[in-house]
Amino acid sequence: MTTTTSPAATSAVHRLWRVSCGFTLDVTAACQVVLQVAPAASAGNRLEESLVVTLDGAPVPVATMTTAHEGLAQVVSVSEGRLEMSYAAVLGAIGAPVPDPRRDLDDEQVVYRRQSRYCPSDEMMGFFAQELGHLEPGADRLLAVADWVFERLAYEAGASGPLDTAADALFAGKGVCRDFAHLAITALRALGVPARLVAVYAPGLSPMEFHAVVEAHLDGVWWVLDPTRLAPRRSLLRVATGRDAADTAFLTVLDGTAELLANEMTVTIDGDLPLDAHEDLVPLP
């Protein structure tokens, strides 16, 4: 697929992002595969976009569906063989995001207060009441939770597995970006703050991979927090949003059997990366 924006839209672009990723899978039993690699519709103007999917070199039909928070997912159904997928896009952002305050209680605030698969906030409520219950509601509390997670966990590639929860990360004292995000989300929900996980493209991240950050609700606005402090938040591109990693995986095999053999990703942004001391609240498009 290929899309382009109008000349009027491109003329107003302030900054360009270039993203690409590729996956190779060995499919040993017919399966459906869901990809969540395209930036969300809200992330910016798509100036160029392509997705190529082949099975043993032959093109495979792709179905696109809309997910929560303007996310996009691609679904392919294939038989046995070597499945290869390649995605690339150039996006332009138009100015700074303008939050749309909604102060009344809505379904998102209810859903993202609840415990979820990787964020057992109900089981850890007593712990966080002792650790962080003294924090007063407001912006400082959100930032203090992110700081607490940053100081509590050590970032270590391969330190956790796909079944590990926020409690596992806390006990281990280490993890990867999804563990940092899960622990911050769990703490925020235990304190009564709606919080959710966002999978993003993160220019400047090293090594380059999909990144997980947190959005927390305050005064009608969803604010992005990155407890890892590995990437500037103003450079992030939203991909998928959900309760936790179960909703935001970049690749999911729904049925059948497939083994991921290789994957790669690159993302760059024009100009210098913005500075980020992680001392203020920032909205994510």
Side-chain angles (χ1 to χ4, degrees), residues 69 100-115 121 141 185 188-196 215-223 241-243:
H69 312 291
D100 180 19
R102 290 186 296 169
R103 297 180 182 275
D104 295 334
L105 185 69
D106 59 19
D107 60 331
E108 290 185 4
Q109 294 177 51
V110 173
V111 169
Y112 294 123
R113 273 191 177 95
R114 294 173 178 157
Q115 70 276 10
S121 51
R141 178 166 68 174
I185 290 168
L188 289 164
R189 291 178 185 171
L191 297 174
V193 178
R196 62 198 189 194
E215 277 187 316
H217 189 271
L218 176 67
D219 295 334
V221 179
W222 289 93
W223 305 99
T241 309
R243 296 164 299 172

mmCIF file of all heavy atoms in Angstrom, residues 69 100-115 121 141 185 188-196 215-223 241-243:
data_model
loop_
_atom_site.group_PDB
_atom_site.id
_atom_site.type_symbol
_atom_site.label_atom_id
_atom_site.label_comp_id
_atom_site.label_asym_id
_atom_site.label_seq_id
_atom_site.Cartn_x
_atom_site.Cartn_y
_atom_site.Cartn_z
ATOM 1 N N HIS A 69 -7.765 4.200 19.820
ATOM 2 C CA HIS A 69 -6.981 5.429 19.810
ATOM 3 C C HIS A 69 -6.319 5.678 18.456
ATOM 4 O O HIS A 69 -5.157 6.060 18.367
ATOM 5 C CB HIS A 69 -5.939 5.408 20.934
ATOM 6 C CG HIS A 69 -6.527 5.006 22.256
ATOM 7 N ND1 HIS A 69 -7.407 5.797 22.951
ATOM 8 C CD2 HIS A 69 -6.399 3.866 22.976
ATOM 9 C CE1 HIS A 69 -7.787 5.172 24.059
ATOM 10 N NE2 HIS A 69 -7.199 4.002 24.093
ATOM 11 N N ASP A 100 -7.018 17.901 24.133
ATOM 12 C CA ASP A 100 -8.453 18.120 24.098
ATOM 13 C C ASP A 100 -9.022 17.735 25.460
ATOM 14 O O ASP A 100 -9.354 16.574 25.698
ATOM 15 C CB ASP A 100 -9.087 17.272 22.990
ATOM 16 C CG ASP A 100 -10.598 17.460 22.921
ATOM 17 O OD1 ASP A 100 -11.087 18.469 23.460
ATOM 18 O OD2 ASP A 100 -11.282 16.594 22.341
ATOM 19 N N PRO A 101 -9.094 18.692 26.376
ATOM 20 C CA PRO A 101 -9.497 18.356 27.748
ATOM 21 C C PRO A 101 -10.899 17.769 27.816
ATOM 22 O O PRO A 101 -11.833 18.267 27.199
ATOM 23 C CB PRO A 101 -9.442 19.711 28.475
ATOM 24 C CG PRO A 101 -8.544 20.557 27.634
ATOM 25 C CD PRO A 101 -8.788 20.120 26.227
ATOM 26 N N ARG A 102 -11.023 16.666 28.564
ATOM 27 C CA ARG A 102 -12.315 16.063 28.870
ATOM 28 C C ARG A 102 -12.318 15.768 30.360
ATOM 29 O O ARG A 102 -11.789 14.766 30.798
ATOM 30 C CB ARG A 102 -12.532 14.786 28.061
ATOM 31 C CG ARG A 102 -12.753 15.021 26.577
ATOM 32 C CD ARG A 102 -13.113 13.724 25.867
ATOM 33 N NE ARG A 102 -12.021 12.775 25.930
ATOM 34 C CZ ARG A 102 -12.145 11.501 25.572
ATOM 35 N NH1 ARG A 102 -13.297 11.024 25.172
ATOM 36 N NH2 ARG A 102 -11.105 10.695 25.632
ATOM 37 N N ARG A 103 -12.894 16.634 31.124
ATOM 38 C CA ARG A 103 -12.802 16.513 32.572
ATOM 39 C C ARG A 103 -13.854 15.563 33.139
ATOM 40 O O ARG A 103 -13.695 15.044 34.227
ATOM 41 C CB ARG A 103 -12.922 17.894 33.222
ATOM 42 C CG ARG A 103 -11.773 18.818 32.822
ATOM 43 C CD ARG A 103 -11.892 20.192 33.472
ATOM 44 N NE ARG A 103 -10.804 21.054 33.035
ATOM 45 C CZ ARG A 103 -9.598 21.097 33.584
ATOM 46 N NH1 ARG A 103 -9.338 20.300 34.605
ATOM 47 N NH2 ARG A 103 -8.669 21.906 33.140
ATOM 48 N N ASP A 104 -14.943 15.346 32.416
ATOM 49 C CA ASP A 104 -15.968 14.439 32.906
ATOM 50 C C ASP A 104 -15.482 12.996 32.797
ATOM 51 O O ASP A 104 -14.711 12.650 31.906
ATOM 52 C CB ASP A 104 -17.259 14.608 32.103
ATOM 53 C CG ASP A 104 -17.884 15.988 32.292
ATOM 54 O OD1 ASP A 104 -17.632 16.588 33.356
ATOM 55 O OD2 ASP A 104 -18.600 16.445 31.383
ATOM 56 N N LEU A 105 -15.949 12.158 33.697
ATOM 57 C CA LEU A 105 -15.579 10.743 33.672
ATOM 58 C C LEU A 105 -16.071 10.106 32.372
ATOM 59 O O LEU A 105 -17.210 10.312 31.953
ATOM 60 C CB LEU A 105 -16.200 10.030 34.872
ATOM 61 C CG LEU A 105 -15.797 8.564 35.059
ATOM 62 C CD1 LEU A 105 -14.340 8.473 35.467
ATOM 63 C CD2 LEU A 105 -16.684 7.912 36.121
ATOM 64 N N ASP A 106 -15.180 9.364 31.705
ATOM 65 C CA ASP A 106 -15.572 8.662 30.489
ATOM 66 C C ASP A 106 -15.103 7.215 30.577
ATOM 67 O O ASP A 106 -14.467 6.805 31.546
ATOM 68 C CB ASP A 106 -15.026 9.356 29.236
ATOM 69 C CG ASP A 106 -13.502 9.452 29.225
ATOM 70 O OD1 ASP A 106 -12.846 8.695 29.962
ATOM 71 O OD2 ASP A 106 -12.960 10.280 28.475
ATOM 72 N N ASP A 107 -15.431 6.420 29.528
ATOM 73 C CA ASP A 107 -15.134 4.998 29.587
ATOM 74 C C ASP A 107 -13.642 4.718 29.642
ATOM 75 O O ASP A 107 -13.198 3.759 30.278
ATOM 76 C CB ASP A 107 -15.761 4.275 28.394
ATOM 77 C CG ASP A 107 -15.235 4.789 27.054
ATOM 78 O OD1 ASP A 107 -14.867 5.965 26.974
ATOM 79 O OD2 ASP A 107 -15.205 4.008 26.096
ATOM 80 N N GLU A 108 -12.817 5.559 28.994
ATOM 81 C CA GLU A 108 -11.373 5.343 29.032
ATOM 82 C C GLU A 108 -10.830 5.477 30.451
ATOM 83 O O GLU A 108 -9.971 4.700 30.877
ATOM 84 C CB GLU A 108 -10.661 6.330 28.108
ATOM 85 C CG GLU A 108 -10.883 6.072 26.629
ATOM 86 C CD GLU A 108 -10.050 6.997 25.767
ATOM 87 O OE1 GLU A 108 -9.245 7.772 26.327
ATOM 88 O OE2 GLU A 108 -10.197 6.942 24.538
ATOM 89 N N GLN A 109 -11.320 6.456 31.170
ATOM 90 C CA GLN A 109 -10.842 6.646 32.537
ATOM 91 C C GLN A 109 -11.229 5.469 33.427
ATOM 92 O O GLN A 109 -10.495 5.116 34.355
ATOM 93 C CB GLN A 109 -11.401 7.946 33.104
ATOM 94 C CG GLN A 109 -10.898 9.201 32.400
ATOM 95 C CD GLN A 109 -11.532 10.447 32.959
ATOM 96 O OE1 GLN A 109 -11.531 10.669 34.169
ATOM 97 N NE2 GLN A 109 -12.091 11.273 32.087
ATOM 98 N N VAL A 110 -12.358 4.848 33.137
ATOM 99 C CA VAL A 110 -12.775 3.676 33.906
ATOM 100 C C VAL A 110 -11.917 2.470 33.539
ATOM 101 O O VAL A 110 -11.358 1.784 34.403
ATOM 102 C CB VAL A 110 -14.272 3.369 33.665
ATOM 103 C CG1 VAL A 110 -14.664 2.055 34.327
ATOM 104 C CG2 VAL A 110 -15.136 4.513 34.175
ATOM 105 N N VAL A 111 -11.787 2.196 32.235
ATOM 106 C CA VAL A 111 -11.030 1.033 31.767
ATOM 107 C C VAL A 111 -9.588 1.089 32.243
ATOM 108 O O VAL A 111 -9.028 0.078 32.718
ATOM 109 C CB VAL A 111 -11.082 0.934 30.231
ATOM 110 C CG1 VAL A 111 -10.068 -0.101 29.721
ATOM 111 C CG2 VAL A 111 -12.482 0.575 29.765
ATOM 112 N N TYR A 112 -8.970 2.255 32.153
ATOM 113 C CA TYR A 112 -7.550 2.353 32.458
ATOM 114 C C TYR A 112 -7.256 2.587 33.942
ATOM 115 O O TYR A 112 -6.119 2.832 34.316
ATOM 116 C CB TYR A 112 -6.910 3.434 31.591
ATOM 117 C CG TYR A 112 -6.929 3.067 30.120
ATOM 118 C CD1 TYR A 112 -7.524 3.898 29.173
ATOM 119 C CD2 TYR A 112 -6.377 1.866 29.678
ATOM 120 C CE1 TYR A 112 -7.548 3.549 27.834
ATOM 121 C CE2 TYR A 112 -6.407 1.511 28.345
ATOM 122 C CZ TYR A 112 -6.986 2.362 27.427
ATOM 123 O OH TYR A 112 -7.006 2.005 26.097
ATOM 124 N N ARG A 113 -8.296 2.484 34.775
ATOM 125 C CA ARG A 113 -8.090 2.389 36.225
ATOM 126 C C ARG A 113 -8.043 0.937 36.690
ATOM 127 O O ARG A 113 -7.584 0.639 37.781
ATOM 128 C CB ARG A 113 -9.208 3.110 36.978
ATOM 129 C CG ARG A 113 -8.986 4.597 37.214
ATOM 130 C CD ARG A 113 -10.024 5.123 38.202
ATOM 131 N NE ARG A 113 -9.827 6.515 38.534
ATOM 132 C CZ ARG A 113 -10.441 7.528 37.930
ATOM 133 N NH1 ARG A 113 -11.292 7.273 36.963
ATOM 134 N NH2 ARG A 113 -10.213 8.765 38.282
ATOM 135 N N ARG A 114 -8.541 0.030 35.865
ATOM 136 C CA ARG A 114 -8.680 -1.363 36.265
ATOM 137 C C ARG A 114 -7.358 -2.119 36.120
ATOM 138 O O ARG A 114 -6.507 -1.763 35.315
ATOM 139 C CB ARG A 114 -9.736 -2.047 35.409
ATOM 140 C CG ARG A 114 -11.144 -1.524 35.599
ATOM 141 C CD ARG A 114 -12.082 -2.146 34.598
ATOM 142 N NE ARG A 114 -13.468 -1.701 34.780
ATOM 143 C CZ ARG A 114 -14.385 -1.737 33.823
ATOM 144 N NH1 ARG A 114 -14.066 -2.202 32.617
ATOM 145 N NH2 ARG A 114 -15.612 -1.324 34.064
ATOM 146 N N GLN A 115 -7.227 -3.182 36.901
ATOM 147 C CA GLN A 115 -6.082 -4.080 36.739
ATOM 148 C C GLN A 115 -6.151 -4.759 35.378
ATOM 149 O O GLN A 115 -7.217 -4.886 34.781
ATOM 150 C CB GLN A 115 -6.055 -5.132 37.849
ATOM 151 C CG GLN A 115 -7.151 -6.170 37.755
ATOM 152 C CD GLN A 115 -8.471 -5.736 38.360
ATOM 153 O OE1 GLN A 115 -8.662 -4.570 38.714
ATOM 154 N NE2 GLN A 115 -9.399 -6.680 38.487
ATOM 155 N N SER A 121 -2.728 -4.139 39.527
ATOM 156 C CA SER A 121 -2.797 -3.032 40.491
ATOM 157 C C SER A 121 -3.637 -3.379 41.706
ATOM 158 O O SER A 121 -3.401 -2.845 42.799
ATOM 159 C CB SER A 121 -3.355 -1.788 39.802
ATOM 160 O OG SER A 121 -4.566 -2.077 39.127
ATOM 161 N N ARG A 141 2.781 14.215 41.204
ATOM 162 C CA ARG A 141 2.607 12.802 41.532
ATOM 163 C C ARG A 141 2.913 11.931 40.321
ATOM 164 O O ARG A 141 3.600 10.910 40.449
ATOM 165 C CB ARG A 141 1.186 12.522 42.030
ATOM 166 C CG ARG A 141 0.965 11.037 42.327
ATOM 167 C CD ARG A 141 -0.296 10.767 43.123
ATOM 168 N NE ARG A 141 -1.497 11.053 42.368
ATOM 169 C CZ ARG A 141 -2.731 10.785 42.822
ATOM 170 N NH1 ARG A 141 -2.902 10.256 44.028
ATOM 171 N NH2 ARG A 141 -3.792 11.070 42.083
ATOM 172 N N ILE A 185 2.477 1.946 35.284
ATOM 173 C CA ILE A 185 1.024 1.869 35.099
ATOM 174 C C ILE A 185 0.361 1.256 36.329
ATOM 175 O O ILE A 185 -0.669 1.741 36.824
ATOM 176 C CB ILE A 185 0.696 1.052 33.842
ATOM 177 C CG1 ILE A 185 1.102 1.820 32.588
ATOM 178 C CG2 ILE A 185 -0.797 0.704 33.794
ATOM 179 C CD1 ILE A 185 1.087 0.981 31.324
ATOM 180 N N LEU A 188 0.364 3.772 39.194
ATOM 181 C CA LEU A 188 -0.601 4.851 38.972
ATOM 182 C C LEU A 188 -2.026 4.367 39.195
ATOM 183 O O LEU A 188 -2.823 5.034 39.870
ATOM 184 C CB LEU A 188 -0.436 5.405 37.554
ATOM 185 C CG LEU A 188 0.842 6.225 37.321
ATOM 186 C CD1 LEU A 188 1.107 6.388 35.829
ATOM 187 C CD2 LEU A 188 0.739 7.594 37.994
ATOM 188 N N ARG A 189 -2.369 3.202 38.653
ATOM 189 C CA ARG A 189 -3.723 2.682 38.851
ATOM 190 C C ARG A 189 -3.994 2.383 40.318
ATOM 191 O O ARG A 189 -5.107 2.609 40.814
ATOM 192 C CB ARG A 189 -3.922 1.418 38.011
ATOM 193 C CG ARG A 189 -3.955 1.666 36.513
ATOM 194 C CD ARG A 189 -4.096 0.361 35.750
ATOM 195 N NE ARG A 189 -4.009 0.545 34.312
ATOM 196 C CZ ARG A 189 -3.921 -0.439 33.430
ATOM 197 N NH1 ARG A 189 -3.908 -1.703 33.849
ATOM 198 N NH2 ARG A 189 -3.844 -0.196 32.137
ATOM 199 N N ALA A 190 -2.994 1.871 41.027
ATOM 200 C CA ALA A 190 -3.161 1.592 42.454
ATOM 201 C C ALA A 190 -3.438 2.873 43.238
ATOM 202 O O ALA A 190 -4.083 2.831 44.293
ATOM 203 C CB ALA A 190 -1.912 0.897 42.998
ATOM 204 N N LEU A 191 -2.960 4.001 42.712
ATOM 205 C CA LEU A 191 -3.192 5.298 43.344
ATOM 206 C C LEU A 191 -4.448 5.983 42.807
ATOM 207 O O LEU A 191 -4.728 7.130 43.153
ATOM 208 C CB LEU A 191 -1.985 6.208 43.120
ATOM 209 C CG LEU A 191 -0.671 5.728 43.746
ATOM 210 C CD1 LEU A 191 0.478 6.640 43.327
ATOM 211 C CD2 LEU A 191 -0.784 5.669 45.266
ATOM 212 N N GLY A 192 -5.186 5.290 41.921
ATOM 213 C CA GLY A 192 -6.429 5.840 41.395
ATOM 214 C C GLY A 192 -6.284 6.670 40.143
ATOM 215 O O GLY A 192 -7.237 7.354 39.742
ATOM 216 N N VAL A 193 -5.129 6.608 39.495
ATOM 217 C CA VAL A 193 -4.885 7.397 38.283
ATOM 218 C C VAL A 193 -5.061 6.511 37.053
ATOM 219 O O VAL A 193 -4.409 5.465 36.956
ATOM 220 C CB VAL A 193 -3.455 7.983 38.292
ATOM 221 C CG1 VAL A 193 -3.194 8.773 37.006
ATOM 222 C CG2 VAL A 193 -3.236 8.854 39.519
ATOM 223 N N PRO A 194 -5.907 6.884 36.113
ATOM 224 C CA PRO A 194 -6.007 6.106 34.868
ATOM 225 C C PRO A 194 -4.665 6.131 34.137
ATOM 226 O O PRO A 194 -4.047 7.195 33.983
ATOM 227 C CB PRO A 194 -7.082 6.852 34.065
ATOM 228 C CG PRO A 194 -7.862 7.628 35.084
ATOM 229 C CD PRO A 194 -6.872 8.005 36.138
ATOM 230 N N ALA A 195 -4.214 4.975 33.688
ATOM 231 C CA ALA A 195 -2.909 4.891 33.017
ATOM 232 C C ALA A 195 -2.956 3.781 31.980
ATOM 233 O O ALA A 195 -3.638 2.771 32.167
ATOM 234 C CB ALA A 195 -1.798 4.623 34.028
ATOM 235 N N ARG A 196 -2.210 3.965 30.887
ATOM 236 C CA ARG A 196 -2.211 2.991 29.799
ATOM 237 C C ARG A 196 -0.831 2.934 29.153
ATOM 238 O O ARG A 196 0.006 3.815 29.344
ATOM 239 C CB ARG A 196 -3.273 3.358 28.758
ATOM 240 C CG ARG A 196 -3.062 4.710 28.072
ATOM 241 C CD ARG A 196 -4.336 5.188 27.416
ATOM 242 N NE ARG A 196 -4.118 6.364 26.579
ATOM 243 C CZ ARG A 196 -5.095 7.141 26.099
ATOM 244 N NH1 ARG A 196 -6.364 6.860 26.396
ATOM 245 N NH2 ARG A 196 -4.828 8.179 25.333
ATOM 246 N N GLU A 215 0.998 6.548 29.322
ATOM 247 C CA GLU A 215 0.154 7.740 29.344
ATOM 248 C C GLU A 215 -0.681 7.710 30.621
ATOM 249 O O GLU A 215 -1.286 6.687 30.950
ATOM 250 C CB GLU A 215 -0.768 7.801 28.127
ATOM 251 C CG GLU A 215 -0.107 8.376 26.900
ATOM 252 C CD GLU A 215 -1.087 8.593 25.761
ATOM 253 O OE1 GLU A 215 -1.920 7.703 25.494
ATOM 254 O OE2 GLU A 215 -1.003 9.651 25.120
ATOM 255 N N ALA A 216 -0.693 8.845 31.323
ATOM 256 C CA ALA A 216 -1.465 8.971 32.558
ATOM 257 C C ALA A 216 -2.438 10.140 32.416
ATOM 258 O O ALA A 216 -2.107 11.167 31.813
ATOM 259 C CB ALA A 216 -0.541 9.199 33.749
ATOM 260 N N HIS A 217 -3.615 9.986 32.990
ATOM 261 C CA HIS A 217 -4.679 10.986 32.832
ATOM 262 C C HIS A 217 -4.670 11.981 33.989
ATOM 263 O O HIS A 217 -4.626 11.590 35.163
ATOM 264 C CB HIS A 217 -6.034 10.286 32.764
ATOM 265 C CG HIS A 217 -7.163 11.194 32.403
ATOM 266 N ND1 HIS A 217 -7.890 11.885 33.349
ATOM 267 C CD2 HIS A 217 -7.681 11.543 31.198
ATOM 268 C CE1 HIS A 217 -8.812 12.610 32.745
ATOM 269 N NE2 HIS A 217 -8.713 12.416 31.443
ATOM 270 N N LEU A 218 -4.715 13.256 33.641
ATOM 271 C CA LEU A 218 -4.785 14.312 34.653
ATOM 272 C C LEU A 218 -5.457 15.529 34.040
ATOM 273 O O LEU A 218 -5.064 15.989 32.960
ATOM 274 C CB LEU A 218 -3.379 14.693 35.143
ATOM 275 C CG LEU A 218 -3.301 15.860 36.142
ATOM 276 C CD1 LEU A 218 -3.949 15.472 37.472
ATOM 277 C CD2 LEU A 218 -1.853 16.287 36.361
ATOM 278 N N ASP A 219 -6.480 16.046 34.734
ATOM 279 C CA ASP A 219 -7.169 17.273 34.319
ATOM 280 C C ASP A 219 -7.655 17.208 32.873
ATOM 281 O O ASP A 219 -7.525 18.173 32.101
ATOM 282 C CB ASP A 219 -6.265 18.495 34.509
ATOM 283 C CG ASP A 219 -5.943 18.769 35.965
ATOM 284 O OD1 ASP A 219 -6.750 18.367 36.826
ATOM 285 O OD2 ASP A 219 -4.891 19.374 36.240
ATOM 286 N N GLY A 220 -8.189 16.054 32.489
ATOM 287 C CA GLY A 220 -8.781 15.937 31.176
ATOM 288 C C GLY A 220 -7.817 15.673 30.044
ATOM 289 O O GLY A 220 -8.217 15.627 28.885
ATOM 290 N N VAL A 221 -6.528 15.492 30.350
ATOM 291 C CA VAL A 221 -5.506 15.307 29.314
ATOM 292 C C VAL A 221 -4.705 14.047 29.627
ATOM 293 O O VAL A 221 -4.443 13.735 30.791
ATOM 294 C CB VAL A 221 -4.562 16.529 29.242
ATOM 295 C CG1 VAL A 221 -3.494 16.312 28.179
ATOM 296 C CG2 VAL A 221 -5.347 17.799 28.965
ATOM 297 N N TRP A 222 -4.309 13.306 28.577
ATOM 298 C CA TRP A 222 -3.415 12.161 28.718
ATOM 299 C C TRP A 222 -1.983 12.634 28.496
ATOM 300 O O TRP A 222 -1.659 13.173 27.436
ATOM 301 C CB TRP A 222 -3.779 11.066 27.716
ATOM 302 C CG TRP A 222 -5.057 10.372 28.055
ATOM 303 C CD1 TRP A 222 -6.314 10.677 27.614
ATOM 304 C CD2 TRP A 222 -5.207 9.259 28.941
ATOM 305 N NE1 TRP A 222 -7.236 9.825 28.157
ATOM 306 C CE2 TRP A 222 -6.591 8.936 28.974
ATOM 307 C CE3 TRP A 222 -4.320 8.494 29.705
ATOM 308 C CZ2 TRP A 222 -7.099 7.892 29.737
ATOM 309 C CZ3 TRP A 222 -4.833 7.458 30.464
ATOM 310 C CH2 TRP A 222 -6.194 7.158 30.482
ATOM 311 N N TRP A 223 -1.128 12.425 29.512
ATOM 312 C CA TRP A 223 0.259 12.891 29.476
ATOM 313 C C TRP A 223 1.207 11.692 29.368
ATOM 314 O O TRP A 223 0.986 10.668 29.999
ATOM 315 C CB TRP A 223 0.593 13.667 30.755
ATOM 316 C CG TRP A 223 -0.334 14.810 31.021
ATOM 317 C CD1 TRP A 223 -1.393 14.830 31.868
ATOM 318 C CD2 TRP A 223 -0.288 16.104 30.415
ATOM 319 N NE1 TRP A 223 -2.017 16.055 31.852
ATOM 320 C CE2 TRP A 223 -1.351 16.858 30.965
ATOM 321 C CE3 TRP A 223 0.555 16.711 29.481
ATOM 322 C CZ2 TRP A 223 -1.594 18.189 30.599
ATOM 323 C CZ3 TRP A 223 0.315 18.024 29.114
ATOM 324 C CH2 TRP A 223 -0.744 18.748 29.674
ATOM 325 N N THR A 241 -2.003 1.655 21.368
ATOM 326 C CA THR A 241 -2.334 2.078 22.725
ATOM 327 C C THR A 241 -3.278 1.061 23.347
ATOM 328 O O THR A 241 -4.198 0.580 22.678
ATOM 329 C CB THR A 241 -3.022 3.462 22.700
ATOM 330 O OG1 THR A 241 -2.240 4.364 21.923
ATOM 331 C CG2 THR A 241 -3.191 4.007 24.113
ATOM 332 N N GLY A 242 -3.047 0.717 24.623
ATOM 333 C CA GLY A 242 -3.922 -0.244 25.260
ATOM 334 C C GLY A 242 -3.671 -0.391 26.742
ATOM 335 O O GLY A 242 -2.916 0.385 27.340
ATOM 336 N N ARG A 243 -4.285 -1.421 27.336
ATOM 337 C CA ARG A 243 -4.181 -1.626 28.780
ATOM 338 C C ARG A 243 -2.757 -1.986 29.194
ATOM 339 O O ARG A 243 -2.273 -1.554 30.235
ATOM 340 C CB ARG A 243 -5.137 -2.732 29.205
ATOM 341 C CG ARG A 243 -6.618 -2.404 28.999
ATOM 342 C CD ARG A 243 -7.458 -3.660 29.064
ATOM 343 N NE ARG A 243 -7.062 -4.593 28.000
ATOM 344 C CZ ARG A 243 -7.508 -5.832 27.902
ATOM 345 N NH1 ARG A 243 -8.339 -6.302 28.813
ATOM 346 N NH2 ARG A 243 -7.113 -6.609 26.895
#
